[in-house]
Amino acid sequence: MALSVAVLMDPIRAIKIAKDTTFAMLLEAQRRGHALLYMEQGDLAVRDGRAWARLAPLTVKEDPSGWFSLGEARWQELAEVDVVLLRKDPPVDAQFIYDTMVLSVAQRAGVTVVNDPQALRDCNEKMYALDFPQCMAPTLLSRDKADLRRFVAEHGEAVLKPLDGMGGRGIFRVRAGDSNLNSMLETLLSGGLHGGSQAQFVMAQKFIPQISAGDKRILVVDGEPVPYALARIPQGDEFRGNLAAGGRGEGVPLTERDRWIVAQVAPELRRRGLWFVGLDVIGDYLTEINITSPTCARELDKQFGLNICGQLFDVIEHHIHGKRSA
């Protein structure tokens, strides 16, 4: 069953193919005989109530000296496409939200969009985890500096983070009594050094010492966990395990607790049409639910001989076959 598979992503010329999960998806789609089409954020439009995109034919290959080739881009109605892989990296800002709205128009016209654009609007990656408090360490979401200071004092040590970052950016580890706490909170509450006057939400989580063993990324495909996680282990004096912050990735089997956490979350992921998700787990606790463009498939594939994107395309093809047979 040959499909047309469009991808909305950050510029493909700038990716690191050895670690890029979107690239793995494209390789798998091409291996299965699907036609690839490429677009970036500026390539979406709505004309007379119908979603359009400026799409370029794409071919990919496992070659670090030249991993893609693009044909001539042309505008076409997205209803002509079978699948859109929505893989734009955070931040989930206003422009990203508008992209999801355009892709909801395409979805209503029959296009399969992965992940579901409505879910991407509804489920902030930091806040969505709060729907599963039984899985989380003590956590506070607040715009109030005094409230956040009390949380740090209560728990002795905490991690502070903004709601719209990725790759460990803007995350602080702080202890009660730290003379820098006010400065950290001012920076986060203002949305960074160049933020506006409106206070921003800040998430505070009790520090989990098991971060020394790694911040585990558990990939979940249509509610089913990949049996191994990538533990992203902090290096040197760094407390963040994110690979983008210099963490070292080490594959580990899922624990019984990991599987319990997945079982708590999976029914809601399925209900919302979140087919490719990355759960972040430190020790016994869920910390984030990554749904915009979760990564780590390539590292796990390499270490354990898996084909995680193959699992995803099994789900996509089964879904489309069901639609066509209905």
Side-chain angles (χ1 to χ4, degrees):
M1 177 173 56
L3 304 174
S4 54
V5 178
V7 62
L8 173 61
M9 61 185 291
D10 291 301
I12 192 169
R13 73 186 75 86
I15 66 174
K16 298 177 180 178
I17 64 171
K19 296 184 176 182
D20 196 282
T21 294
T22 303
F23 187 70
M25 292 179 182
L26 296 173
L27 286 172
E28 178 63 19
Q30 182 175 271
R31 187 187 69 79
R32 292 178 178 228
H34 303 321
L36 300 180
L37 297 163
Y38 173 83
M39 58 179 157
E40 297 176 16
Q41 275 192 294
D43 296 322
L44 287 172
V46 178
R47 299 178 183 177
D48 301 320
R50 300 192 303 273
W52 287 69
R54 183 168 46 205
L55 299 170
L58 169 68
T59 57
V60 290
K61 59 181 177 178
E62 191 80 82
D63 182 351
S65 66
W67 54 89
F68 72 99
S69 176
L70 289 173
E72 183 177 354
R74 68 177 182 88
W75 285 99
Q76 65 184 94
E77 192 172 349
L78 274 174
E80 300 171 5
V81 173
D82 295 306
V83 181
V84 173
L85 302 175
L86 179 43
R87 293 284 300 177
K88 172 73 180 67
D89 285 346
V92 179
D93 56 13
Q95 297 306 313
F96 182 95
I97 295 298
Y98 300 148
D99 292 338
T100 69
M101 292 176 178
V102 175
L103 289 170
S104 283
V105 175
Q107 187 183 53
R108 291 193 292 273
V111 181
T112 296
V113 183
V114 183
N115 282 318
D116 184 273
Q118 178 69 56
L120 293 179
R121 291 195 291 278
D122 290 346
C123 302
N124 173 272
E125 298 191 328
K126 308 291 193 298
M127 290 183 66
Y128 186 33
L130 298 173
D131 283 11
F132 308 95
Q134 72 275 24
C135 301
M136 298 188 71
T139 301
L140 170 68
L141 180 70
S142 179
R143 288 190 176 104
D144 186 87
K145 184 190 294 187
D147 201 18
L148 291 159
R149 285 182 61 87
R150 281 192 294 270
F151 182 90
V152 175
E154 176 186 355
H155 295 288
E157 191 169 6
V159 172
L160 307 173
K161 50 189 170 182
L163 294 183
D164 62 352
M166 66 168 289
R169 291 196 294 268
I171 295 179
F172 297 94
R173 175 183 174 183
V174 62
R175 294 178 174 86
D178 191 320
S179 60
N180 289 312
L181 177 55
N182 274 337
S183 179
M184 294 176 193
L185 290 174
E186 287 165 6
T187 299
L188 289 168
L189 288 166
S190 68
L193 295 176
H194 305 290
S197 58
Q198 174 66 45
Q200 306 292 304
F201 270 121
V202 173
M203 178 171 280
Q205 291 180 323
K206 181 180 179 180
F207 179 71
I208 306 168
Q210 291 88 343
I211 184 62
S212 60
D215 179 355
K216 288 185 287 189
R217 168 61 56 83
I218 301 171
L219 293 176
V220 183
V221 181
D222 192 28
E224 294 297 325
V226 173
Y228 301 93
L230 192 72
R232 296 160 298 171
I233 302 169
Q235 300 297 293
D237 294 332
E238 177 62 71
F239 79 93
R240 297 170 299 173
N242 309 76
L243 300 182
R248 175 176 61 84
E250 180 180 309
V252 295
L254 297 192
T255 66
E256 185 176 340
R257 173 71 177 185
D258 294 336
R259 292 183 181 275
W260 179 83
I261 291 172
V262 174
Q264 298 295 300
V265 176
E268 270 297 294
L269 300 181
R270 286 197 185 98
R271 185 183 72 80
R272 290 180 177 272
L274 292 167
W275 291 356
F276 194 81
V277 173
L279 305 184
D280 286 351
V281 173
I282 301 174
D284 288 336
Y285 300 106
L286 174 69
T287 60
E288 295 183 14
I289 301 177
N290 296 273
I291 61 174
T292 51
S293 59
T295 60
C296 298
R298 300 224 78 185
E299 293 90 340
L300 290 170
D301 282 352
K302 182 177 180 179
Q303 290 189 45
F304 298 106
L306 305 174
N307 183 5
I308 296 168
C309 294
Q311 293 177 243
L312 175 63
F313 270 93
D314 286 346
V315 172
I316 291 171
E317 290 174 359
H318 179 76
H319 171 78
I320 292 178
H321 177 74
K323 285 203 306 184
R324 292 180 176 178
S325 301

